[in-house]
Amino acid sequence: MNNVNWKALVEDRNRFFWLLQSAGWFGFALVHYLGSLLHDLRDIFVIIIFLNAYAGWLFTIPLRYVYRRIWDFAPLKIAFVVIFSSYITGVLWQVVKNINHWEIYKHGYRPDFWLYYTESSVWSFYIILSWSGLYFGIKYYQMLQKEKQNVLKANTVAHQAQLKMLRYQLNPHFLFNTLNAISTLILVEENKTANRMVTKLSEFLRYSLDKDPMKKVTVNSEVDALTLYLDIEKVRFEERLRVVFNIDKDCQQALVPSMILQPLAENAIKYAIAVKEQGGSITITIQRFGHDLLIELADNGPGADIVDGNLFRENGLGLTNSRERLSALYPHNFSLVVSHNMPTGVKVSIRLPYELESE
């Protein structure tokens, strides 16, 4: 039985009960049969063993429904009902076992007093009490596993909601800036330029909305998305914005969070390109180092104040959003560091685990 079928069987509590019930009493019969081999007993004793096991199988079935009814009772009441039910069931089972032994093995033996039919009931009571203990133990284990699954599912849903929120925060932020630029172009009657920006914007948003924020994308796909964004900005900045890509071949199919570069590029344009009359350049470098993927986005702008590898020069989301997304996707296995670019500017360095699409 493969893992999928076994998991389905365990989750189906009714089928799982009947499997354990049958396997348990079969094991009881087998142990008693092996024990009988140590004694000089006639072969007919095998029939008695399996009749006794079958009687135990039948008598413990009603206990299941009794225990279901008392499941929500107070602990003391549950203990009382379990002990009482186990004792009554053990006595009845022992009567049947004695009848089987006397009628079959001793050829119709009859005791002198009817109370002798309950002889050795204590041992049967212990066995039924053990069955009850196993029943409650397995039920509590299943309940704990179910609660654990619910907690994991709740955490997963919350984790996914957080990632989606962080990812979708980027579009309104970027959209506001782009629409503001388009509005400015229209006011100065640069309608052709504004129209080109609208066309590029629609392509970028279509691409962005088509990508599931819960899934990672290849570096090639992420670079395509970044190129669409930069094409929008190039309409506004024209020759003032220069972009250089340095991507190693073995990194093109590596996986990265979708839209992880766009907010970094947006910051570079806002604080490095836009503030310089002659514009500037943005360089994106992606390479592999051992089991890590190294991503760098550098500009040659005027630079900024950097403290302990952190930079919080923007009022919006930017680096904070990117760091939170990386923390959610790669807990304790990533880094995002801001440093001075040489000779001028700011460089954002990201380290991620190197993953391929087929892994």
Side-chain angles (χ1 to χ4, degrees), residues 160-177 204-205 208-209 213 258-259 262-263 266 314-326:
Q160 291 177 349
Q162 179 194 22
L163 286 177
K164 288 182 178 181
M165 177 192 69
L166 291 171
R167 161 66 196 283
Y168 286 136
Q169 279 178 338
L170 298 175
N171 284 340
H173 186 241
F174 155 70
L175 191 59
F176 172 80
N177 291 337
F204 176 78
L205 291 180
S208 175
L209 293 173
S258 64
M259 307 297 291
Q262 185 265 330
E266 185 176 354
E314 78 277 15
N315 294 323
L317 302 167
L319 292 173
T320 302
N321 181 290
S322 299
R323 186 175 281 106
E324 288 178 357
R325 290 186 65 205
L326 292 172

Side-chain angles (χ1 to χ4, degrees), residues 12-78:
D12 187 339
R13 296 188 178 184
N14 190 55
R15 291 174 58 190
F16 191 52
F17 168 80
W18 291 113
L19 174 66
L20 292 181
Q21 173 77 345
S22 301
W25 284 108
F26 179 80
F28 170 84
L30 184 61
V31 169
H32 275 258
Y33 169 71
L34 295 176
S36 70
L37 298 178
L38 300 176
H39 306 282
D40 188 18
L41 298 174
R42 287 177 289 151
D43 293 340
I44 199 172
F45 194 73
V46 176
I47 298 176
I48 297 173
I49 290 174
F50 281 94
L51 284 176
N52 291 342
Y54 179 64
W57 184 89
L58 284 176
F59 278 123
T60 49
I61 289 174
L63 291 179
R64 180 193 186 197
Y65 300 97
V66 172
Y67 295 160
R68 279 181 173 181
R69 296 290 298 273
I70 66 168
W71 187 260
D72 296 322
F73 284 16
L76 287 177
K77 289 184 178 180
I78 292 177

Side-chain angles (χ1 to χ4, degrees), residues 56-295:
W57 184 89
L58 284 176
F59 278 123
T60 49
I61 289 174
L63 291 179
R64 180 193 186 197
Y65 300 97
V66 172
Y67 295 160
R68 279 181 173 181
R69 296 290 298 273
I70 66 168
W71 187 260
D72 296 322
F73 284 16
L76 287 177
K77 289 184 178 180
I78 292 177
F80 174 78
V81 173
V82 168
I83 293 173
F84 179 78
S85 300
S86 297
Y87 180 76
I88 296 300
T89 303
V91 170
L92 294 175
W93 183 39
Q94 185 61 43
V95 170
V96 172
K97 288 197 296 180
N98 286 335
I99 291 174
N100 289 337
H101 182 72
W102 292 334
E103 290 290 336
I104 298 174
Y105 196 77
K106 292 193 173 183
H107 307 292
Y109 168 79
R110 297 287 187 278
D112 297 331
F113 183 53
W114 65 269
L115 197 58
Y116 290 151
Y117 280 101
T118 63
E119 186 180 308
S120 302
S121 295
V122 174
W123 176 244
S124 297
F125 164 63
Y126 286 151
I127 294 176
I128 300 299
L129 191 63
S130 299
W131 183 97
S132 300
L134 284 172
Y135 176 85
F136 275 89
I138 293 170
K139 288 284 286 185
Y140 276 117
Y141 174 77
Q142 288 179 322
M143 183 179 68
L144 290 175
Q145 289 297 106
K146 186 67 175 177
E147 289 298 321
K148 184 178 179 181
Q149 289 177 1
N150 290 338
V151 170
L152 289 175
K153 186 179 292 185
N155 288 338
T156 300
V157 170
H159 178 73
Q160 291 177 349
Q162 179 194 22
L163 286 177
K164 288 182 178 181
M165 177 192 69
L166 291 171
R167 161 66 196 283
Y168 286 136
Q169 279 178 338
L170 298 175
N171 284 340
H173 186 241
F174 155 70
L175 191 59
F176 172 80
N177 291 337
T178 305
L179 291 177
N180 208 26
I182 293 172
S183 175
T184 302
L185 290 172
I186 293 174
L187 286 175
V188 297
E189 297 184 353
E190 293 188 22
N191 295 335
K192 289 185 177 179
T193 305
N195 184 60
R196 278 193 293 153
M197 282 196 74
V198 170
T199 302
K200 295 291 185 181
L201 176 61
S202 65
E203 292 177 4
F204 176 78
L205 291 180
R206 185 183 301 111
Y207 181 95
S208 175
L209 293 173
D210 284 344
K211 295 297 180 182
D212 185 351
M214 295 307 303
K215 294 182 179 179
K216 299 171 187 176
V217 299
T218 63
V219 167
N220 276 345
S221 180
E222 178 67 5
V223 168
D224 289 341
L226 182 61
T227 301
L228 284 173
Y229 165 74
L230 293 173
D231 285 345
I232 296 171
E233 298 294 2
K234 281 182 179 179
V235 173
R236 180 157 62 109
F237 290 98
E238 297 180 337
E239 299 302 322
R240 293 176 59 207
L241 173 59
R242 297 175 295 279
V243 182
V244 179
F245 287 99
N246 296 318
I247 303 174
D248 290 353
K249 289 185 178 181
D250 60 347
C251 296
Q252 293 177 356
Q253 297 304 313
L255 296 178
V256 295
S258 64
M259 307 297 291
I260 196 66
L261 294 177
Q262 185 265 330
L264 306 182
E266 185 176 354
N267 281 344
I269 290 173
K270 182 178 180 180
Y271 294 101
I273 309 301
V275 297
K276 295 175 64 176
E277 184 177 349
Q278 71 275 22
S281 64
I282 296 175
T283 303
I284 297 95
T285 304
I286 302 178
Q287 56 188 344
R288 180 182 180 182
F289 183 77
H291 297 292
D292 294 328
L293 184 71
L294 305 180
I295 302 173

